[in-house]
Short mmCIF file of all heavy atoms in Angstrom, two decimals:
data_model
loop_
_atom_site.label_atom_id
_atom_site.label_comp_id
_atom_site.label_asym_id
_atom_site.label_seq_id
_atom_site.Cartn_x
_atom_site.Cartn_y
_atom_site.Cartn_z
N PHE D 98 5.71 -26.93 -16.75
CA PHE D 98 5.67 -27.90 -15.65
C PHE D 98 5.39 -27.13 -14.36
O PHE D 98 6.08 -26.15 -14.05
CB PHE D 98 6.99 -28.65 -15.54
CG PHE D 98 7.26 -29.60 -16.66
CD1 PHE D 98 7.66 -29.13 -17.91
CD2 PHE D 98 7.10 -30.96 -16.49
CE1 PHE D 98 7.90 -30.01 -18.96
CE2 PHE D 98 7.33 -31.85 -17.53
CZ PHE D 98 7.73 -31.37 -18.77
N LEU D 118 11.86 -27.87 -8.51
CA LEU D 118 11.83 -28.69 -9.71
C LEU D 118 12.76 -28.09 -10.76
O LEU D 118 12.66 -26.90 -11.07
CB LEU D 118 10.40 -28.75 -10.26
CG LEU D 118 10.19 -29.57 -11.54
CD1 LEU D 118 10.54 -31.04 -11.30
CD2 LEU D 118 8.75 -29.42 -12.04
N LYS D 119 13.67 -28.91 -11.29
CA LYS D 119 14.63 -28.44 -12.28
C LYS D 119 14.76 -29.45 -13.42
O LYS D 119 14.49 -30.64 -13.27
CB LYS D 119 16.00 -28.21 -11.64
CG LYS D 119 16.09 -26.91 -10.83
CD LYS D 119 17.48 -26.70 -10.28
CE LYS D 119 17.70 -25.26 -9.83
NZ LYS D 119 16.70 -24.78 -8.89
N LEU D 120 15.21 -28.93 -14.57
CA LEU D 120 15.55 -29.77 -15.71
C LEU D 120 17.00 -30.20 -15.59
O LEU D 120 17.87 -29.41 -15.21
CB LEU D 120 15.37 -28.97 -17.00
CG LEU D 120 15.88 -29.65 -18.28
CD1 LEU D 120 14.93 -30.77 -18.70
CD2 LEU D 120 16.05 -28.64 -19.41
N LEU D 148 19.01 -26.93 -14.19
CA LEU D 148 18.65 -25.58 -14.63
C LEU D 148 17.16 -25.32 -14.47
O LEU D 148 16.32 -26.23 -14.55
CB LEU D 148 19.02 -25.38 -16.10
CG LEU D 148 20.50 -25.36 -16.48
CD1 LEU D 148 20.64 -25.12 -17.98
CD2 LEU D 148 21.25 -24.31 -15.69
N ASN D 149 16.84 -24.04 -14.30
CA ASN D 149 15.46 -23.58 -14.37
C ASN D 149 15.10 -23.14 -15.79
O ASN D 149 13.96 -23.27 -16.21
CB ASN D 149 15.22 -22.41 -13.41
CG ASN D 149 15.15 -22.87 -11.96
OD1 ASN D 149 14.65 -23.95 -11.67
ND2 ASN D 149 15.67 -22.05 -11.06
N ASP D 150 16.07 -22.59 -16.50
CA ASP D 150 15.84 -22.12 -17.87
C ASP D 150 16.79 -22.87 -18.80
O ASP D 150 18.00 -22.61 -18.81
CB ASP D 150 16.10 -20.61 -17.94
CG ASP D 150 15.74 -20.02 -19.30
OD1 ASP D 150 15.50 -20.81 -20.26
OD2 ASP D 150 15.74 -18.79 -19.43
N ALA D 209 16.84 -18.46 -14.38
CA ALA D 209 15.53 -18.03 -13.89
C ALA D 209 15.35 -18.50 -12.44
O ALA D 209 16.04 -19.39 -11.97
CB ALA D 209 14.43 -18.60 -14.77
N LYS D 210 14.42 -17.89 -11.74
CA LYS D 210 14.17 -18.25 -10.35
C LYS D 210 13.40 -19.57 -10.22
O LYS D 210 13.54 -20.28 -9.23
CB LYS D 210 13.39 -17.13 -9.64
CG LYS D 210 14.14 -15.81 -9.56
CD LYS D 210 15.38 -15.94 -8.69
CE LYS D 210 16.08 -14.60 -8.53
NZ LYS D 210 17.35 -14.72 -7.76
N THR D 211 12.55 -19.88 -11.21
CA THR D 211 11.76 -21.10 -11.18
C THR D 211 11.84 -21.77 -12.55
O THR D 211 12.28 -21.16 -13.53
CB THR D 211 10.29 -20.82 -10.83
OG1 THR D 211 9.76 -19.89 -11.78
CG2 THR D 211 10.16 -20.23 -9.44
N LEU D 212 11.39 -23.01 -12.62
CA LEU D 212 11.47 -23.76 -13.87
C LEU D 212 10.60 -23.11 -14.95
O LEU D 212 9.41 -22.89 -14.76
CB LEU D 212 11.03 -25.20 -13.64
CG LEU D 212 11.13 -26.12 -14.86
CD1 LEU D 212 12.58 -26.30 -15.27
CD2 LEU D 212 10.48 -27.47 -14.58
N GLN D 213 11.22 -22.84 -16.08
CA GLN D 213 10.53 -22.28 -17.24
C GLN D 213 10.05 -23.41 -18.16
O GLN D 213 10.50 -24.55 -18.05
CB GLN D 213 11.47 -21.35 -17.99
CG GLN D 213 12.02 -20.21 -17.14
CD GLN D 213 10.92 -19.33 -16.58
OE1 GLN D 213 10.21 -18.65 -17.31
NE2 GLN D 213 10.75 -19.36 -15.26
N PRO D 214 9.11 -23.11 -19.08
CA PRO D 214 8.66 -24.14 -20.02
C PRO D 214 9.83 -24.81 -20.73
O PRO D 214 10.81 -24.16 -21.09
CB PRO D 214 7.76 -23.37 -20.97
CG PRO D 214 7.21 -22.26 -20.13
CD PRO D 214 8.35 -21.85 -19.24
N VAL D 215 9.70 -26.12 -20.93
CA VAL D 215 10.77 -26.94 -21.49
C VAL D 215 10.35 -27.47 -22.86
O VAL D 215 9.21 -27.94 -23.03
CB VAL D 215 11.10 -28.12 -20.55
CG1 VAL D 215 12.13 -29.05 -21.18
CG2 VAL D 215 11.58 -27.59 -19.20
N PHE D 225 13.93 -34.74 -15.32
CA PHE D 225 13.63 -33.69 -14.35
C PHE D 225 14.03 -34.16 -12.95
O PHE D 225 14.00 -35.35 -12.64
CB PHE D 225 12.15 -33.32 -14.40
CG PHE D 225 11.74 -32.70 -15.71
CD1 PHE D 225 11.43 -33.51 -16.79
CD2 PHE D 225 11.70 -31.33 -15.86
CE1 PHE D 225 11.07 -32.95 -18.01
CE2 PHE D 225 11.36 -30.76 -17.08
CZ PHE D 225 11.04 -31.58 -18.15
#
Side-chain angles (χ1 to χ4, degrees):
F98 290 76
L118 180 62
K119 283 183 164 54
L120 172 75
L148 293 181
N149 286 325
D150 186 349
K210 297 295 184 184
T211 57
L212 183 66
Q213 302 301 293
V215 175
F225 295 83

